């Protein structure tokens, strides 16, 4: 079953744990039930907590679009953009970038994630505290309506086939394996952003336009929608983590 990015799940569950919701070990297990081995994650999370951090935050950058990524060196920037995700803390600064691989023999492979620590600048708290889930939701819904108009103008089958619709229907109304302590509005926006991102990704996997030029226009619209949903997903997750950490009222 499709899931949210690993960094989103870890940020939510570990911030919940730091607020007294579950143990540290349980948080990582619940965040990554599909991962057989992790390296470099638990140790860095414990260090951040021991140094006084109260929330783990997430960035979902991409090559050419580093929105949400704290200022860091070129090696860290490239690694995070290539991975498409990273964890960070705002107070002291610091970054964790995942690298996914498999191990074992054919037919009995396991999934592992190695997390590399990098230096990063602290992030002004007001940048996180200003994130408002209701505004994030309105913005994404406007962007979704615009994408629908763009796809209608291209013609053909906007989402390529019924697979996208089936996957979206399957995910709507689910909790995406997130802690129940998440503020309800933020949870709603996370679910919406995750669903839109999934639909756009599935739509990109097959041609649905009537002409080659139309197919390119359709791909541009879907890539833009996917990127917008990823930005919203990161911002909504950080808004939820800020609330769980007690930085802002739950909303």
């Amino acid at each position: 079953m499709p899931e949210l990015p690993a960094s989103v799940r870890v940020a939510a569950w570990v911030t919940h744990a730091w607020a007294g919701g579950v143990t540290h070990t349980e948080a990582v297990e619940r965040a990554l039930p599909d991962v057989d081995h992790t390296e470099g994650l638990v140790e860095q999370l414990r260090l951040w907590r021991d140094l006084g951090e109260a929330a783990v935050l997430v960035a979902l950058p991409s090559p050419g679009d580093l929105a949400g990524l704290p200022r860091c060196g070129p090696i860290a920037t490239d690694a995070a953009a290539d991975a498409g995700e990273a964890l960070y803390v705002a107070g002291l600064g610091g970054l964790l970038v995942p690298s996914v691989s498999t191990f074992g023999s054919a037919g009995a492979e396991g999934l592992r994630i190695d997390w590399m620590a990098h230096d990063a600048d602290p992030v002004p708290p007001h940048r996180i505290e200003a994130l408002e889930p209701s505004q994030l939701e309105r913005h994404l819904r406007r962007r979704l309506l615009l994408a629908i108009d763009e796809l209608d103008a291209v013609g053909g089958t906007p989402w390529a086939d019924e697979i996208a619709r089936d996957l979206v229907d399957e995910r709507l109304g689910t909790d995406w394996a997130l802690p129940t302590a998440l503020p309800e509005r933020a949870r709603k926006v996370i679910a919406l952003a995750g669903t839109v991102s999934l639909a756009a990704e599935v739509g990109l996997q097959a041609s649905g336009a009537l002409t080659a030029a139309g197919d390119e226009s359709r791909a541009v619209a879907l890539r833009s929608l996917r990127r917008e949903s990823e930005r919203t997903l990161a911002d909504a997750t950080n808004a939820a983590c800020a609330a769980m950490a007690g930085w802002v009222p739950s909303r």
Side-chain angles (χ1 to χ4, degrees):
M1 181 177 291
E3 289 294 352
L4 296 170
S7 295
V8 168
R9 290 179 278 156
V10 171
W13 274 106
V14 172
T15 301
H16 174 51
W18 288 359
V22 294
T23 66
H24 203 145
T25 300
E26 186 178 4
V28 173
E29 290 175 349
R30 291 196 180 188
L32 304 173
D34 51 339
V35 178
D36 300 291
H37 180 75
T38 61
E39 196 70 41
L41 176 63
V42 174
E43 300 86 345
Q44 187 63 46
L45 291 173
R46 285 178 176 159
L47 176 60
W48 282 342
R49 181 56 172 163
D50 290 345
L51 292 174
E53 296 291 348
V56 182
L57 305 172
V58 63
L60 299 175
S62 67
D65 183 357
L66 303 178
L69 190 69
R71 184 176 299 177
C72 51
I75 294 177
T77 297
D78 290 346
D82 289 344
E85 57 180 298
L87 297 169
Y88 68 94
V89 286
L92 296 170
L95 197 71
L96 273 175
V97 178
S99 176
V100 180
S101 60
T102 58
F103 63 93
S105 57
E109 290 184 338
L111 182 67
R112 68 176 286 159
I113 303 181
D114 293 278
W115 300 79
M116 179 63 68
H118 299 272
D119 292 333
D121 287 353
V123 176
H126 68 265
R127 282 178 46 186
I128 308 301
E129 295 168 359
L131 296 171
E132 172 54 57
S134 61
Q135 294 179 0
L136 296 172
E137 181 181 5
R138 285 194 295 270
H139 176 76
L140 181 57
R141 288 190 182 278
R142 286 195 297 267
R143 186 62 191 83
L144 177 58
L145 291 174
L146 177 61
I148 290 172
D149 288 342
E150 292 172 343
L151 293 169
D152 284 345
V154 170
T157 306
W159 304 106
D161 50 35
E162 292 301 311
I163 296 177
R165 181 177 297 278
D166 291 344
L167 282 171
V168 170
D169 289 344
E170 179 182 330
R171 297 309 280 164
L172 283 174
T174 66
D175 62 6
W176 290 86
L178 295 170
T180 57
L182 256 67
E184 191 56 36
R185 191 60 180 266
R187 176 190 296 277
K188 179 181 177 182
V189 181
I190 290 170
L192 173 64
T195 299
V196 172
S197 179
L198 171 63
E201 179 63 32
V202 172
L204 283 165
Q205 294 175 8
S207 174
L210 300 175
T211 66
D215 203 47
E216 177 59 26
S217 296
R218 172 182 168 278
V220 169
L222 288 173
R223 283 195 294 266
S224 178
L225 179 61
R226 181 184 60 186
R227 190 70 199 111
E228 198 65 49
S229 66
E230 289 170 347
R231 293 192 197 101
T232 302
L233 176 57
D235 285 346
T237 302
N238 291 341
C241 291
M244 288 191 292
W247 296 356
V248 296
S250 181
R251 53 197 179 187

